[in-house]
Amino acid sequence: MFDDKEKFKLAYLTKISETEGITLDEGSLWDKYKTLVLLLKENMSFNRALTKKSTMYTKQVYYFSMEFLIGRLLHYYLVNMEIEELVREGLAELHINLDDLLQQEVDPGLGNGGLGRLAACFLDSMAFLGISGHGNGMRYKYGLFEQKIRNGFQTEVADNWLKNGYPWEIPRTEKSIVVKFKGTIRAESVQDKLMFYHEHYEPVLAVPYDIPIMSYDNPSNINNLRLWSAEPVANELDFDSFNRGEFDQAVSLRSEVEAISYILYPDDNGRSGKELRLKQEYFFVAAGLGSIMRSFKKRNISLGDFSKWVAVHINDTHPVLCIPELMRILIDEEGLGWDQAWNITVNTISFTNHTIMPEALEKWPVDLFKNLLPRIYMIVEEIDRRFKERLARRFLDDWELIHNTQIIKDGQVQMANLAVIGSSSVNGVAALHTEILKHQVFKDYYRVFSYKFNNKTNGINHRRFLLAANPALSELITEAIGPAWKKNAEELENLLFYKDNSSFIEKLAKVKYLNKCQLAKHVKESQGLEIDPLSIFDVQVKRIHAYKRQLLNILKVMHLYNQVKNDPQSVRDPQTFIFGGKAAPGYHYAKTIIKLINTLANKINKDPEVKQKLKVVFLENFNVSLGELIYPAADISEQISTASKEASGTGNMKFMVNGAVTIGTLDGANVEIKEAVGEENIFIFGLTAEEVLRYSREGGYKSLDQYYSNQSLRLCVDQLVNGFFETAGEEFRVIFDSLLLYNDDYFVLKDFNAYLEAYQKLQDSYAQQDIWHRTSLVNIAKAGIFSSDRSIKEYANQIWKTNFRRFDSHFPDKRFKNKLGTK
Ligand SMILES: *Cc1c(COP(=O)(O)O)cnc(C)c1O
């Protein structure tokens, strides 16, 4: 992109005067940051146009997701273009520190956690592999709230991420789509054909904003992330009402429309059941499909071949209205008959399920659905009717099967059922999770459609979470095995060659130490707390949720505290327990967990007898950027969900690729991590998924038995309410009650002993530093299969049936030549 430093400097200086009309001296840090972004974006837009043209006759994949947690882009794109050093040096000569500019960038919080981050990792891997794969999502004006800890409690601050503008996005007003809500449907027979007309609807304008997606070693292939914003169709006040003096109405219509893309629902694995949420879901689905259809028509391909040229993937059930909406477009707008439209729709759409938690399975009351989306409801009813008819023919009088697989029942529209019936592929996100789908959650569908079910174990973008986030480790790895791992993560396995190389192991230990120093520095600067980089960093960062069992970790820390109080020698190595994660604002239990962690931290960190051995930290506002600092600095990765509840997890993979050692249950992808590293390189404990599911079915576990039979556990549980936390009073009663009064739904007490035993083994292993770092090395070496490149290759081959294309040969550009000479 820039031949050399001088050319870069010239381009940069020209850009700043061109766009801001100022000289460098007059510019603020924000101006300087923005200028650098605009410079890169300009080049990317050019390449996007070329990519678009050359992929006109390539199958297009559209990844529909309500959430894209993309993280900051500037540093990552500089790494991908391999121009970070050139730009850093060039800016330094202009007396600008690149790091200062990087700090200016907002981290767009357009997702809650794992699901949104997965979508972002997938965009990267599609771009890397040269798949024409694009994101379709929501441009929320406010992303996930910013978390502030006040007095130990979580408080929420609005995430006004657009307040200075977002220089990566490109508004495409001219490509807006009108989305229709409410109103009535008039049916009319036209030349023997029944036609449906949507009347008296409320129109909303969907305006697209595009963000260029580029990956490593493929900078000339630019894909697109299209995010939709809701605006009034006239984009001005309703002047009719205004002129009639109905000022309030004129303004409120506008705000009602804008409410659709106003804010991200902050519930991870939960659901709101509110009309606004369903509006959001239909809004970005209708806008996305409208624009796909528009660009499809420019390709002059017969509509009958639609599914050969377009794949639509739905990330969980949030975009499942793609199914009836595509039917509506094909029938009402394109004039196809039902059967042909249905064939096209099913063959176009594929679906990923993300959870078996019952509270996260979306359902909508029929009345609400029908009123908001009258034509879509008619189509869903017809899909349901035809499915039932077919089933009744095939399974005769198996009424239970027929009932269980209905879309509309008990006055509600069951979105997961619509997704399974209306798509050609249904996948889980880890091997264990997919088995649970086939044999529990969707067992009836598995009888009907066994061929649709398949597994696609999640992955992470190892270029973001290792190459860009952990430069010291990346350099060490490249020194040892060469740079090929960046393009093929499975090359990391060559590190095994260094397993018994003590000088390499020493270097690995040093890198970890330096990363811990950086995290310690951040904690000191942001929270004023000292943590010792020589202590063990035991980390649990993820959304706060009962099933993720932060409580089990807390009880362990309380137990260690009690031990140290009794016998200071009982804990050998100093340990720092690091927590982080947001709680949904309405999730009282999770918020109490945060307060508990902070109360415990306060007690332990102040206690002169203990603070040399144990420290507890709650890191405020966990997000992608903070993750990039934390994952590289962890010694221990806590993955301790109740078996069967965590569909895959991806945090577990980010820790692993950075050399943290996992303590975890046999849940989600932990099972596959164990298979990859071998049981001597991971600390597994607790009930299996099968045992948990059996207990839940048969009600065989009584938490009180556990409580009475284990002295030290009982002490910890009692300490929640017995005045141990001086200021606490009754505030942790809900947690105490969840364990004893409500019989511990998440098996915290049941797994407590096994957890402590595994933790003791882990500490023994840590005490032998050479063994520990060898374990760490094996974890890095075996992390390759958890790259999202592997996941996306599987999706592309088995579900989307699209080729990978690398475009470097199409646009020979010497300036992008890999410095390491591997091309
Ligand atoms: C990876 C990631 C998650 C998912 O973490 P899990 O441990 O898999 O729950 C959540 N939030 C952010 C910001 C992440 O980067």
PDB file of all heavy atoms in Angstrom, residues 69 112-114 117 465 541-543 547-548 622-624 627 631 639 646 648-652 654-655, ligand 1:
ATOM      1  N   LEU A  69     -19.159  -8.522  17.162  1.00  0.00           N
ATOM      2  CA  LEU A  69     -18.264  -7.906  18.149  1.00  0.00           C
ATOM      3  C   LEU A  69     -16.874  -7.820  17.523  1.00  0.00           C
ATOM      4  O   LEU A  69     -16.012  -8.656  17.788  1.00  0.00           O
ATOM      5  CB  LEU A  69     -18.280  -8.784  19.409  1.00  0.00           C
ATOM      6  CG  LEU A  69     -18.004  -8.176  20.768  1.00  0.00           C
ATOM      7  CD1 LEU A  69     -18.789  -6.896  20.995  1.00  0.00           C
ATOM      8  CD2 LEU A  69     -18.354  -9.186  21.855  1.00  0.00           C
ATOM      9  N   ASN A 112     -22.950  -9.118  22.677  1.00  0.00           N
ATOM     10  CA  ASN A 112     -22.915  -9.410  24.107  1.00  0.00           C
ATOM     11  C   ASN A 112     -21.688 -10.198  24.534  1.00  0.00           C
ATOM     12  O   ASN A 112     -21.193 -10.028  25.635  1.00  0.00           O
ATOM     13  CB  ASN A 112     -24.159 -10.208  24.500  1.00  0.00           C
ATOM     14  CG  ASN A 112     -25.330  -9.305  24.793  1.00  0.00           C
ATOM     15  OD1 ASN A 112     -25.370  -8.675  25.836  1.00  0.00           O
ATOM     16  ND2 ASN A 112     -26.262  -9.219  23.861  1.00  0.00           N
ATOM     17  N   GLY A 113     -21.243 -11.115  23.688  1.00  0.00           N
ATOM     18  CA  GLY A 113     -20.146 -11.988  24.111  1.00  0.00           C
ATOM     19  C   GLY A 113     -19.787 -12.957  23.014  1.00  0.00           C
ATOM     20  O   GLY A 113     -19.606 -12.565  21.852  1.00  0.00           O
ATOM     21  N   GLY A 114     -19.758 -14.239  23.364  1.00  0.00           N
ATOM     22  CA  GLY A 114     -19.237 -15.258  22.462  1.00  0.00           C
ATOM     23  C   GLY A 114     -19.892 -15.291  21.081  1.00  0.00           C
ATOM     24  O   GLY A 114     -19.197 -15.393  20.076  1.00  0.00           O
ATOM     25  N   ARG A 117     -18.772 -12.330  18.967  1.00  0.00           N
ATOM     26  CA  ARG A 117     -17.350 -12.423  18.659  1.00  0.00           C
ATOM     27  C   ARG A 117     -17.111 -13.525  17.620  1.00  0.00           C
ATOM     28  O   ARG A 117     -16.274 -13.394  16.735  1.00  0.00           O
ATOM     29  CB  ARG A 117     -16.557 -12.665  19.933  1.00  0.00           C
ATOM     30  CG  ARG A 117     -15.052 -12.711  19.745  1.00  0.00           C
ATOM     31  CD  ARG A 117     -14.472 -11.458  19.066  1.00  0.00           C
ATOM     32  NE  ARG A 117     -13.637 -11.830  17.948  1.00  0.00           N
ATOM     33  CZ  ARG A 117     -13.069 -10.976  17.079  1.00  0.00           C
ATOM     34  NH1 ARG A 117     -13.244  -9.669  17.187  1.00  0.00           N
ATOM     35  NH2 ARG A 117     -12.351 -11.415  16.096  1.00  0.00           N
ATOM     36  N   PHE A 465      -6.048 -12.922  18.089  1.00  0.00           N
ATOM     37  CA  PHE A 465      -5.798 -13.216  19.507  1.00  0.00           C
ATOM     38  C   PHE A 465      -4.392 -13.725  19.806  1.00  0.00           C
ATOM     39  O   PHE A 465      -3.996 -13.770  20.964  1.00  0.00           O
ATOM     40  CB  PHE A 465      -6.886 -14.160  20.049  1.00  0.00           C
ATOM     41  CG  PHE A 465      -8.215 -13.470  20.174  1.00  0.00           C
ATOM     42  CD1 PHE A 465      -9.213 -13.666  19.222  1.00  0.00           C
ATOM     43  CD2 PHE A 465      -8.449 -12.567  21.200  1.00  0.00           C
ATOM     44  CE1 PHE A 465     -10.430 -12.990  19.316  1.00  0.00           C
ATOM     45  CE2 PHE A 465      -9.657 -11.892  21.300  1.00  0.00           C
ATOM     46  CZ  PHE A 465     -10.654 -12.103  20.352  1.00  0.00           C
ATOM     47  N   VAL A 541     -12.667 -14.809  32.756  1.00  0.00           N
ATOM     48  CA  VAL A 541     -13.323 -13.650  32.130  1.00  0.00           C
ATOM     49  C   VAL A 541     -14.332 -14.146  31.109  1.00  0.00           C
ATOM     50  O   VAL A 541     -14.008 -14.904  30.205  1.00  0.00           O
ATOM     51  CB  VAL A 541     -12.317 -12.681  31.457  1.00  0.00           C
ATOM     52  CG1 VAL A 541     -11.516 -11.908  32.493  1.00  0.00           C
ATOM     53  CG2 VAL A 541     -11.364 -13.408  30.506  1.00  0.00           C
ATOM     54  N   LYS A 542     -15.558 -13.717  31.239  1.00  0.00           N
ATOM     55  CA  LYS A 542     -16.671 -14.110  30.368  1.00  0.00           C
ATOM     56  C   LYS A 542     -17.917 -13.474  30.961  1.00  0.00           C
ATOM     57  O   LYS A 542     -17.866 -12.939  32.070  1.00  0.00           O
ATOM     58  CB  LYS A 542     -16.822 -15.630  30.312  1.00  0.00           C
ATOM     59  CG  LYS A 542     -16.774 -16.304  31.697  1.00  0.00           C
ATOM     60  CD  LYS A 542     -16.907 -17.816  31.619  1.00  0.00           C
ATOM     61  CE  LYS A 542     -15.640 -18.518  31.215  1.00  0.00           C
ATOM     62  NZ  LYS A 542     -15.754 -19.247  29.957  1.00  0.00           N
ATOM     63  N   ARG A 543     -19.052 -13.515  30.249  1.00  0.00           N
ATOM     64  CA  ARG A 543     -20.275 -12.988  30.838  1.00  0.00           C
ATOM     65  C   ARG A 543     -20.552 -13.667  32.179  1.00  0.00           C
ATOM     66  O   ARG A 543     -20.218 -14.841  32.379  1.00  0.00           O
ATOM     67  CB  ARG A 543     -21.458 -13.205  29.883  1.00  0.00           C
ATOM     68  CG  ARG A 543     -21.406 -12.313  28.662  1.00  0.00           C
ATOM     69  CD  ARG A 543     -21.472 -10.831  29.027  1.00  0.00           C
ATOM     70  NE  ARG A 543     -22.771 -10.471  29.528  1.00  0.00           N
ATOM     71  CZ  ARG A 543     -23.688  -9.782  28.835  1.00  0.00           C
ATOM     72  NH1 ARG A 543     -23.422  -9.345  27.626  1.00  0.00           N
ATOM     73  NH2 ARG A 543     -24.867  -9.489  29.379  1.00  0.00           N
ATOM     74  N   TYR A 547     -24.821 -20.450  34.982  1.00  0.00           N
ATOM     75  CA  TYR A 547     -24.308 -21.704  34.419  1.00  0.00           C
ATOM     76  C   TYR A 547     -22.795 -21.684  34.210  1.00  0.00           C
ATOM     77  O   TYR A 547     -22.150 -22.721  34.142  1.00  0.00           O
ATOM     78  CB  TYR A 547     -25.044 -22.065  33.120  1.00  0.00           C
ATOM     79  CG  TYR A 547     -24.498 -21.434  31.857  1.00  0.00           C
ATOM     80  CD1 TYR A 547     -23.406 -22.006  31.197  1.00  0.00           C
ATOM     81  CD2 TYR A 547     -25.071 -20.286  31.313  1.00  0.00           C
ATOM     82  CE1 TYR A 547     -22.897 -21.429  30.041  1.00  0.00           C
ATOM     83  CE2 TYR A 547     -24.571 -19.703  30.161  1.00  0.00           C
ATOM     84  CZ  TYR A 547     -23.475 -20.278  29.536  1.00  0.00           C
ATOM     85  OH  TYR A 547     -22.972 -19.719  28.397  1.00  0.00           O
ATOM     86  N   LYS A 548     -22.203 -20.491  34.107  1.00  0.00           N
ATOM     87  CA  LYS A 548     -20.749 -20.403  33.941  1.00  0.00           C
ATOM     88  C   LYS A 548     -20.017 -20.572  35.270  1.00  0.00           C
ATOM     89  O   LYS A 548     -18.794 -20.724  35.310  1.00  0.00           O
ATOM     90  CB  LYS A 548     -20.376 -19.083  33.267  1.00  0.00           C
ATOM     91  CG  LYS A 548     -20.809 -19.004  31.789  1.00  0.00           C
ATOM     92  CD  LYS A 548     -20.448 -17.649  31.181  1.00  0.00           C
ATOM     93  CE  LYS A 548     -20.890 -17.486  29.739  1.00  0.00           C
ATOM     94  NZ  LYS A 548     -19.971 -18.095  28.758  1.00  0.00           N
ATOM     95  N   PHE A 622     -15.118  -5.750  30.817  1.00  0.00           N
ATOM     96  CA  PHE A 622     -14.506  -6.735  29.929  1.00  0.00           C
ATOM     97  C   PHE A 622     -15.094  -6.607  28.516  1.00  0.00           C
ATOM     98  O   PHE A 622     -16.304  -6.645  28.326  1.00  0.00           O
ATOM     99  CB  PHE A 622     -14.731  -8.146  30.472  1.00  0.00           C
ATOM    100  CG  PHE A 622     -14.145  -9.212  29.586  1.00  0.00           C
ATOM    101  CD1 PHE A 622     -12.785  -9.249  29.328  1.00  0.00           C
ATOM    102  CD2 PHE A 622     -14.953 -10.157  28.981  1.00  0.00           C
ATOM    103  CE1 PHE A 622     -12.232 -10.211  28.493  1.00  0.00           C
ATOM    104  CE2 PHE A 622     -14.417 -11.127  28.151  1.00  0.00           C
ATOM    105  CZ  PHE A 622     -13.054 -11.158  27.912  1.00  0.00           C
ATOM    106  N   ASN A 623     -14.195  -6.443  27.553  1.00  0.00           N
ATOM    107  CA  ASN A 623     -14.616  -6.374  26.149  1.00  0.00           C
ATOM    108  C   ASN A 623     -13.475  -6.933  25.282  1.00  0.00           C
ATOM    109  O   ASN A 623     -12.491  -7.448  25.821  1.00  0.00           O
ATOM    110  CB  ASN A 623     -14.998  -4.947  25.756  1.00  0.00           C
ATOM    111  CG  ASN A 623     -13.851  -3.967  25.919  1.00  0.00           C
ATOM    112  OD1 ASN A 623     -12.702  -4.353  26.149  1.00  0.00           O
ATOM    113  ND2 ASN A 623     -14.151  -2.688  25.805  1.00  0.00           N
ATOM    114  N   VAL A 624     -13.605  -6.844  23.975  1.00  0.00           N
ATOM    115  CA  VAL A 624     -12.589  -7.459  23.110  1.00  0.00           C
ATOM    116  C   VAL A 624     -11.201  -6.850  23.382  1.00  0.00           C
ATOM    117  O   VAL A 624     -10.209  -7.569  23.526  1.00  0.00           O
ATOM    118  CB  VAL A 624     -12.956  -7.314  21.616  1.00  0.00           C
ATOM    119  CG1 VAL A 624     -11.831  -7.853  20.732  1.00  0.00           C
ATOM    120  CG2 VAL A 624     -14.252  -8.076  21.314  1.00  0.00           C
ATOM    121  N   GLY A 627      -9.808  -8.122  26.517  1.00  0.00           N
ATOM    122  CA  GLY A 627      -9.473  -9.530  26.293  1.00  0.00           C
ATOM    123  C   GLY A 627      -8.100  -9.671  25.647  1.00  0.00           C
ATOM    124  O   GLY A 627      -7.306 -10.535  26.017  1.00  0.00           O
ATOM    125  N   TYR A 631      -5.962 -12.352  27.795  1.00  0.00           N
ATOM    126  CA  TYR A 631      -5.684 -13.736  27.378  1.00  0.00           C
ATOM    127  C   TYR A 631      -4.179 -14.029  27.330  1.00  0.00           C
ATOM    128  O   TYR A 631      -3.739 -15.075  27.803  1.00  0.00           O
ATOM    129  CB  TYR A 631      -6.341 -14.045  26.017  1.00  0.00           C
ATOM    130  CG  TYR A 631      -7.866 -13.999  26.020  1.00  0.00           C
ATOM    131  CD1 TYR A 631      -8.563 -13.090  25.222  1.00  0.00           C
ATOM    132  CD2 TYR A 631      -8.617 -14.868  26.815  1.00  0.00           C
ATOM    133  CE1 TYR A 631      -9.956 -13.041  25.205  1.00  0.00           C
ATOM    134  CE2 TYR A 631     -10.018 -14.827  26.806  1.00  0.00           C
ATOM    135  CZ  TYR A 631     -10.673 -13.911  25.998  1.00  0.00           C
ATOM    136  OH  TYR A 631     -12.057 -13.869  25.994  1.00  0.00           O
ATOM    137  N   GLN A 639     -12.597 -22.696  32.944  1.00  0.00           N
ATOM    138  CA  GLN A 639     -13.693 -23.060  32.022  1.00  0.00           C
ATOM    139  C   GLN A 639     -14.582 -24.070  32.725  1.00  0.00           C
ATOM    140  O   GLN A 639     -14.591 -25.252  32.409  1.00  0.00           O
ATOM    141  CB  GLN A 639     -13.119 -23.610  30.715  1.00  0.00           C
ATOM    142  CG  GLN A 639     -12.096 -22.693  30.046  1.00  0.00           C
ATOM    143  CD  GLN A 639     -12.634 -21.299  29.696  1.00  0.00           C
ATOM    144  OE1 GLN A 639     -13.852 -21.124  29.506  1.00  0.00           O
ATOM    145  NE2 GLN A 639     -11.749 -20.324  29.615  1.00  0.00           N
ATOM    146  N   GLU A 646     -22.609 -25.121  28.478  1.00  0.00           N
ATOM    147  CA  GLU A 646     -21.844 -24.211  27.617  1.00  0.00           C
ATOM    148  C   GLU A 646     -21.719 -24.884  26.256  1.00  0.00           C
ATOM    149  O   GLU A 646     -21.052 -25.906  26.112  1.00  0.00           O
ATOM    150  CB  GLU A 646     -20.450 -23.978  28.206  1.00  0.00           C
ATOM    151  CG  GLU A 646     -19.621 -22.942  27.476  1.00  0.00           C
ATOM    152  CD  GLU A 646     -20.047 -21.506  27.778  1.00  0.00           C
ATOM    153  OE1 GLU A 646     -20.924 -21.006  27.033  1.00  0.00           O
ATOM    154  OE2 GLU A 646     -19.530 -20.915  28.741  1.00  0.00           O
ATOM    155  N   SER A 648     -20.173 -24.258  23.404  1.00  0.00           N
ATOM    156  CA  SER A 648     -18.800 -24.480  22.948  1.00  0.00           C
ATOM    157  C   SER A 648     -17.831 -23.737  23.854  1.00  0.00           C
ATOM    158  O   SER A 648     -16.944 -24.311  24.472  1.00  0.00           O
ATOM    159  CB  SER A 648     -18.623 -23.975  21.509  1.00  0.00           C
ATOM    160  OG  SER A 648     -17.244 -23.827  21.217  1.00  0.00           O
ATOM    161  N   GLY A 649     -18.057 -22.419  23.954  1.00  0.00           N
ATOM    162  CA  GLY A 649     -17.042 -21.551  24.543  1.00  0.00           C
ATOM    163  C   GLY A 649     -16.035 -21.236  23.460  1.00  0.00           C
ATOM    164  O   GLY A 649     -15.758 -22.060  22.574  1.00  0.00           O
ATOM    165  N   THR A 650     -15.531 -20.002  23.481  1.00  0.00           N
ATOM    166  CA  THR A 650     -14.427 -19.639  22.594  1.00  0.00           C
ATOM    167  C   THR A 650     -13.313 -18.985  23.414  1.00  0.00           C
ATOM    168  O   THR A 650     -12.167 -18.987  22.986  1.00  0.00           O
ATOM    169  CB  THR A 650     -14.887 -18.668  21.489  1.00  0.00           C
ATOM    170  OG1 THR A 650     -15.638 -17.611  22.099  1.00  0.00           O
ATOM    171  CG2 THR A 650     -15.730 -19.373  20.454  1.00  0.00           C
ATOM    172  N   GLY A 651     -13.680 -18.459  24.589  1.00  0.00           N
ATOM    173  CA  GLY A 651     -12.655 -17.928  25.491  1.00  0.00           C
ATOM    174  C   GLY A 651     -11.639 -19.025  25.789  1.00  0.00           C
ATOM    175  O   GLY A 651     -10.420 -18.786  25.766  1.00  0.00           O
ATOM    176  N   ASN A 652     -12.118 -20.227  26.011  1.00  0.00           N
ATOM    177  CA  ASN A 652     -11.224 -21.369  26.265  1.00  0.00           C
ATOM    178  C   ASN A 652     -10.150 -21.497  25.179  1.00  0.00           C
ATOM    179  O   ASN A 652      -8.980 -21.755  25.467  1.00  0.00           O
ATOM    180  CB  ASN A 652     -12.043 -22.670  26.420  1.00  0.00           C
ATOM    181  CG  ASN A 652     -13.120 -22.862  25.338  1.00  0.00           C
ATOM    182  OD1 ASN A 652     -13.210 -22.052  24.401  1.00  0.00           O
ATOM    183  ND2 ASN A 652     -13.929 -23.900  25.466  1.00  0.00           N
ATOM    184  N   LYS A 654      -9.073 -18.990  23.111  1.00  0.00           N
ATOM    185  CA  LYS A 654      -8.189 -17.808  23.115  1.00  0.00           C
ATOM    186  C   LYS A 654      -7.116 -17.953  24.196  1.00  0.00           C
ATOM    187  O   LYS A 654      -5.956 -17.607  23.979  1.00  0.00           O
ATOM    188  CB  LYS A 654      -9.007 -16.540  23.350  1.00  0.00           C
ATOM    189  CG  LYS A 654     -10.052 -16.264  22.291  1.00  0.00           C
ATOM    190  CD  LYS A 654     -10.946 -15.084  22.729  1.00  0.00           C
ATOM    191  CE  LYS A 654     -12.271 -15.089  21.998  1.00  0.00           C
ATOM    192  NZ  LYS A 654     -13.254 -14.212  22.664  1.00  0.00           N
ATOM    193  N   PHE A 655      -7.513 -18.459  25.359  1.00  0.00           N
ATOM    194  CA  PHE A 655      -6.529 -18.710  26.420  1.00  0.00           C
ATOM    195  C   PHE A 655      -5.499 -19.746  25.959  1.00  0.00           C
ATOM    196  O   PHE A 655      -4.302 -19.583  26.134  1.00  0.00           O
ATOM    197  CB  PHE A 655      -7.221 -19.259  27.671  1.00  0.00           C
ATOM    198  CG  PHE A 655      -7.875 -18.223  28.549  1.00  0.00           C
ATOM    199  CD1 PHE A 655      -9.258 -18.119  28.608  1.00  0.00           C
ATOM    200  CD2 PHE A 655      -7.122 -17.376  29.348  1.00  0.00           C
ATOM    201  CE1 PHE A 655      -9.870 -17.185  29.446  1.00  0.00           C
ATOM    202  CE2 PHE A 655      -7.715 -16.443  30.184  1.00  0.00           C
ATOM    203  CZ  PHE A 655      -9.098 -16.346  30.230  1.00  0.00           C
TER     204      PHE A 655
HETATM  205  C1  LIG B   1     -14.313 -14.558  23.446  1.00  0.00           C
HETATM  206  C2  LIG B   1     -15.162 -13.580  24.136  1.00  0.00           C
HETATM  207  C3  LIG B   1     -16.274 -14.008  24.861  1.00  0.00           C
HETATM  208  C4  LIG B   1     -16.664 -15.460  24.995  1.00  0.00           C
HETATM  209  O1  LIG B   1     -16.025 -15.998  26.123  1.00  0.00           O
HETATM  210  P1  LIG B   1     -16.471 -17.422  26.725  1.00  0.00           P
HETATM  211  O2  LIG B   1     -15.402 -17.668  27.733  1.00  0.00           O
HETATM  212  O3  LIG B   1     -16.425 -18.399  25.609  1.00  0.00           O
HETATM  213  O4  LIG B   1     -17.807 -17.244  27.317  1.00  0.00           O
HETATM  214  C5  LIG B   1     -17.043 -13.058  25.501  1.00  0.00           C
HETATM  215  N1  LIG B   1     -16.739 -11.751  25.443  1.00  0.00           N
HETATM  216  C6  LIG B   1     -15.663 -11.307  24.759  1.00  0.00           C
HETATM  217  C7  LIG B   1     -15.378  -9.845  24.738  1.00  0.00           C
HETATM  218  C8  LIG B   1     -14.847 -12.197  24.080  1.00  0.00           C
HETATM  219  O5  LIG B   1     -13.795 -11.740  23.393  1.00  0.00           O
END
